[in-house]
Amino acid sequence: MRDRNRGRDVPAARSPQPDPFAVQLRELLARPSLSAQLLQHAAEHLAAIRPTEPLTLAGWGRALARADARVLTGYPPAVAQNASCRAMAALDSDMWTTSRTRGEWALCLNAAAGTV
């Protein structure tokens, strides 16, 4: 296309290239928080292994340790500790007082993950 004022061709309009940093930031913000991921992975573990049996303290520790290793590995200690504290704070006190199966705990953890 010719520019009447300048008498030469005007380059065609180019579509703007997406900023790679903005794309990565959008993807990062679309993911659940680290605390939510921690609870979700613990819930997946509890639901996958003997979901009809009662949850024991050892079973809870294993589920949490596996989730911690899967989600928080590679993060600085302060970030990992903050995510763990936020995840534990999201758990309702009623969850601890009632006896539940591993599957019921998984449902409760998934619900709690939606709040953090």
Side-chain angles (χ1 to χ4, degrees):
M1 171 163 146
R2 281 188 67 74
D3 184 349
R4 287 188 230 173
N5 297 330
R6 295 187 200 119
R8 59 184 169 183
D9 286 337
V10 177
R14 296 181 190 164
S15 61
Q17 296 296 321
D19 179 20
F21 178 73
V23 171
Q24 287 179 341
L25 182 61
R26 248 184 262 113
E27 290 173 3
L28 180 66
L29 293 175
R31 282 191 268 163
S33 69
L34 290 176
S35 302
Q37 290 179 42
L38 188 66
L39 293 173
Q40 289 170 342
H41 286 295
E44 287 174 13
H45 176 76
L46 292 175
I49 299 173
R50 299 184 313 271
T52 57
E53 291 184 14
L55 179 66
T56 63
L57 186 58
W60 169 245
R62 278 191 298 276
L64 196 57
R66 287 177 187 224
D68 184 282
R70 188 170 175 189
V71 175
L72 300 177
T73 298
Y75 285 98
V79 172
Q81 185 177 8
N82 185 328
S84 295
C85 289
R86 287 184 60 222
M88 293 303 106
L91 301 180
D92 190 8
S93 61
D94 291 338
M95 291 173 62
W96 301 106
T97 58
T98 58
S99 174
R100 297 177 181 218
T101 64
R102 296 167 65 92
E104 290 173 330
W105 267 91
L107 293 174
C108 292
L109 292 178
N110 279 324
T115 65
V116 291

